[in-house]
Amino acid sequence: MIWVLETGILLVVAVVLRRVLHMGDKSVALAASPHIRRSVSSPLYTPIASEVEAHITILGVLLNDAIEERNAGHFTLALRILSLFESEWSRLTELVVSLQKLSLKYLPMAQTSITPRNLNARSFQSHRMNEFFRRHGVLDQFVFRSKLRFQLHLRLLRRATSVLSDDFEEARQDFDQDTSLFAWTLTEHDLYFHDLDLLSKETLLGFCEELACLPDAALDEIAAEIPALIRNSVCGSIATPAHR
């Protein structure tokens, strides 16, 4: 008989919660999301995505070339290629951080809920990034509003990019002081490159999701800001994209 009583209590609680949260109430659902969600394939996304992907490709090629030249005993050439890699790293991180700031700037204008994304700490290869997301990645489990969770996700990406850049710069300075660390430096840069690639693509995915939820006025403003983001484009001439 006790289990019957417990079952009855659970059913009552479920009904009360359903009414309090307005679950199943279509009128409330429509009132909360009166705007139609756009397709995530926005023309505003294409130039940014192409630019980020181009930088990632260049970084990958430069790192592989530096490793091959070092293994072949061409130390001077490998050193020059590594210098180009470090310069390209700075350009990509600057672009990714600018995109993260842009996403945070226009997030309050989102009219529909944005699907929050979760990052698995085990996806990262560098020790610092693995520990960073292991420590901070659980914070969104205590946030239930989708826009707030998405904002937290963007801020985590922004902070992670900054931490990763600091580690990269520290490894570069260590190598400047001791060139015998060349093999170690290339190994560390390989780990950092993997993690920057992941952070860059997560930033792009978040930006794409956000574009689908923004009103036309916000998209017009973003369209005007994109040329400044990719002013040093490696993908050719810049044209302000139309989003309608």
Side-chain angles (χ1 to χ4, degrees):
M1 294 297 294
I2 295 179
W3 69 269
V4 175
L5 179 61
E6 292 176 343
T7 301
I9 293 174
L10 288 175
L11 288 174
V12 171
V13 172
V15 171
V16 171
L17 287 175
R18 185 179 179 84
R19 289 184 177 276
V20 170
L21 298 176
H22 304 288
M23 295 176 65
D25 190 339
K26 294 183 179 180
S27 61
V28 173
L30 290 174
S33 301
H35 302 280
I36 298 176
R37 183 182 177 87
R38 287 184 179 82
S39 168
V40 294
S41 57
S42 169
L44 296 177
Y45 172 80
T46 303
I48 293 290
S50 298
E51 192 69 18
V52 170
E53 291 290 348
H55 284 294
I56 290 174
T57 300
I58 293 172
L59 277 172
V61 171
L62 289 173
L63 183 58
N64 286 335
D65 286 350
I67 293 174
E68 290 178 0
E69 294 300 336
R70 185 261 174 188
N71 292 340
H74 304 151
F75 181 83
T76 301
L77 181 55
L79 190 60
R80 292 176 180 174
I81 296 174
L82 185 62
S83 178
L84 291 174
F85 175 86
E86 292 169 347
S87 176
E88 189 64 26
W89 172 284
S90 298
R91 295 179 66 186
L92 177 57
T93 52
E94 180 182 357
L95 176 59
V96 171
V97 168
S98 297
L99 183 57
Q100 291 163 350
K101 291 179 178 178
L102 186 69
S103 297
L104 285 167
K105 176 181 177 180
Y106 289 96
L107 181 59
M109 300 178 67
Q111 295 180 318
T112 59
S113 61
I114 305 178
T115 304
R117 298 184 56 81
N118 295 315
L119 283 174
N120 190 332
R122 290 175 296 181
S123 299
F124 294 90
Q125 293 187 356
S126 67
H127 176 72
R128 180 68 72 88
M129 285 294 96
N130 188 282
E131 287 299 314
F132 179 87
F133 281 98
R134 192 185 303 278
R135 188 167 62 249
H136 299 289
V138 297
L139 294 177
D140 61 354
Q141 301 301 319
F142 303 97
V143 180
F144 299 100
R145 293 173 53 194
S146 63
K147 186 183 291 188
L148 192 57
R149 287 186 65 186
F150 189 77
Q151 182 185 57
L152 178 59
H153 175 73
L154 288 177
R155 292 191 181 279
L156 281 175
L157 289 175
R158 173 68 186 89
R159 177 58 182 158
T161 306
S162 176
V163 170
L164 184 64
S165 294
D166 289 343
D167 283 358
F168 179 85
E169 180 64 20
E170 183 178 343
R172 188 188 67 79
Q173 291 178 359
D174 288 343
F175 173 67
D176 288 343
Q177 297 172 4
D178 186 357
T179 54
S180 66
L181 297 175
F182 198 13
W184 172 83
T185 301
L186 288 174
T187 300
E188 290 297 295
H189 282 11
D190 190 23
L191 299 180
Y192 297 151
F193 170 60
H194 171 275
D195 291 352
L196 181 60
D197 182 15
L198 183 55
L199 291 173
S200 300
K201 289 174 180 175
E202 282 294 331
T203 299
L204 282 174
L205 289 172
F207 180 63
C208 188
E209 282 288 326
E210 184 176 334
L211 288 176
C213 305
L214 292 173
D216 288 340
L219 295 180
D220 288 335
E221 294 181 25
I222 291 176
E225 292 197 43
I226 286 179
L229 260 66
I230 53 178
R231 59 186 179 278
N232 298 319
S233 175
V234 298
C235 297
S237 60
I238 302 172
T240 302
H243 59 270
R244 293 188 179 85

